[in-house]
Amino acid sequence: MTSGRLSGKVAIVTGAAGGIGFETAALFAKEGAKVVCADLNEAGVNKSVAKIMEIAGADAAIAFKVDVSKEDQVKALIEKTVDTFGKLDIMFNNAGIMHPEDDNALNTEDRVWDLTMDINVKGVWYGCKHAILAMRKSGGGSIINTASFVALMGAATPQLAYTASKGAVLAMTRELAMVHARENIRFNSLCPGPIRTPLLMDFLNTEEKKQRRLVHVPQGRFGEAIEQAYGALFLASDESSFVTGTDFRVDGGLASSYVTPE
Ligand code: NAD
């Protein structure tokens, strides 16, 4: 067996075609886990798995196409994982969207609100629900749900549905942590700060726009997806065995800041 911080563990990562999901799936595999990489983007997730196989070996990962907002597909994802690798130890509910037409209270349309809630909230609920059922059979596990710093702080650049959806993730995760604590199933939210992903950098496409954000970040820079992956690795591993119900921030100090250094 590979030695590593997740040696012998089986993990699912949703949103594994994207920045945080891919980096986390690759890190989990490097640390000895078998990883099921799940995403709506089939070509993207297949690419992720090919890269992970190069890094960690041909039996380290498989791909699964899933729409996390569809319960039958999430159920099938968990069943495939248990059929392939025998159990489920780690569930990283990380898939999420930030809709380009998400706006303020007056301008956000119902369809944008509903789609955001279906993916970002229901998708996390379904992932938790079916992971709980599998983890009960193997004596416990760790469930990590990706929220965001915007669920902890107000921003004057509105994305109302996204912000509300991530607030729901935090609240849901805390309650699940309490309800299932005695079953040895841990639940934590990962709260990333702004990450240097193509999505965010395309949105902040001038130096002025970037600086408008960076002035609020004590460390004075955007985060990297791999830094989120290291946070998720800690929460996934037995090193965090007494950590449950947290809003685990990996945000360069953002959510603690008032006045930042010059
Ligand atoms: P990303 O867009 O690169 O990754 C998200 C992935 O989710 C994509 O691969 C996408 O195909 C997948 N996805 C979207 N809808 C899906 C669905 N219905 N079913 C299955 N997969 C679906 O973005 P990322 O930055 O890696 O984001 C990962 C998570 O981190 C998201 O939940 C996001 O909200 C959160 N987050 C990101 C930032 C940031 O600055 N990038 C900050 C805070 C939180």
Side-chain angles (χ1 to χ4, degrees):
M1 192 180 286
T2 331
S3 69
R5 290 165 69 185
L6 299 182
S7 184
K9 306 248 189 222
V10 176
I12 294 174
V13 176
T14 71
I20 295 172
F22 166 69
E23 291 295 345
T24 305
L27 185 61
F28 282 7
K30 270 194 220 163
E31 291 294 340
K34 302 291 182 209
V35 186
V36 179
C37 295
D39 205 289
L40 189 59
N41 173 352
E42 194 170 17
V45 82
N46 284 336
K47 253 192 221 165
S48 294
V49 166
K51 281 192 213 154
I52 292 170
M53 285 174 165
E54 274 175 33
I55 302 166
D59 62 348
I62 61 167
F64 193 93
K65 186 185 177 199
V66 71
D67 179 345
V68 295
S69 68
K70 304 283 185 302
E71 185 173 6
D72 58 333
Q73 295 186 26
V74 175
K75 186 167 179 275
L77 164 65
I78 274 101
E79 282 168 0
K80 173 75 180 172
T81 303
V82 174
D83 283 352
T84 308
F85 295 121
K87 59 175 181 161
L88 175 65
D89 302 297
I90 299 156
M91 181 80 198
F92 186 26
N93 290 306
N94 167 72
I97 60 159
M98 197 171 78
H99 199 289
E101 293 165 57
D102 198 353
D103 204 327
N104 60 25
L106 307 183
N107 297 335
T108 303
E109 291 177 27
D110 273 38
R111 70 183 165 80
V112 171
W113 179 275
D114 290 343
L115 181 65
T116 303
M117 292 297 165
D118 280 353
I119 296 171
N120 293 9
V121 184
K122 267 192 170 176
V124 170
W125 167 35
Y126 294 147
C128 290
K129 176 176 174 180
H130 292 282
I132 290 164
L133 293 170
M135 287 174 180
R136 277 184 172 162
K137 293 183 185 149
S138 56
S142 173
I143 299 182
I144 304 148
N145 298 328
T146 305
S148 171
F149 72 99
V150 299
L152 297 165
M153 314 176 69
T157 46
Q159 335 160 272
L160 196 67
Y162 182 81
T163 302
S165 76
K166 294 301 187 179
V169 170
L170 291 183
M172 175 165 58
T173 305
R174 274 186 223 119
E175 179 170 309
L176 288 167
M178 299 307 111
V179 170
H180 299 284
R182 302 287 167 96
E183 295 183 271
N184 197 31
I185 304 175
R186 297 185 295 109
F187 291 82
N188 292 287
S189 297
L190 182 71
C191 294
I195 305 305
R196 203 167 58 87
T197 55
L199 194 83
L200 188 62
M201 292 306 106
D202 289 352
F203 180 63
L204 305 177
N205 55 3
T206 65
E207 202 43 41
E208 196 188 345
K209 285 185 195 167
K210 287 191 179 74
Q211 287 310 321
R212 176 78 177 83
R213 296 300 193 286
L214 286 177
V215 71
H216 297 287
V217 184
Q219 289 194 346
R221 64 172 175 87
F222 293 105
E224 302 293 335
I226 187 68
E227 294 175 307
Q228 301 303 321
Y230 281 118
L233 172 62
F234 170 67
L235 295 172
S237 78
D238 293 337
E239 294 158 17
S240 61
S241 49
F242 203 48
V243 180
T244 195
T246 65
D247 306 342
F248 193 87
R249 296 194 277 114
V250 181
D251 69 351
L254 180 55
S256 298
S257 79
Y258 172 36
V259 178
T260 56
E262 305 248 330

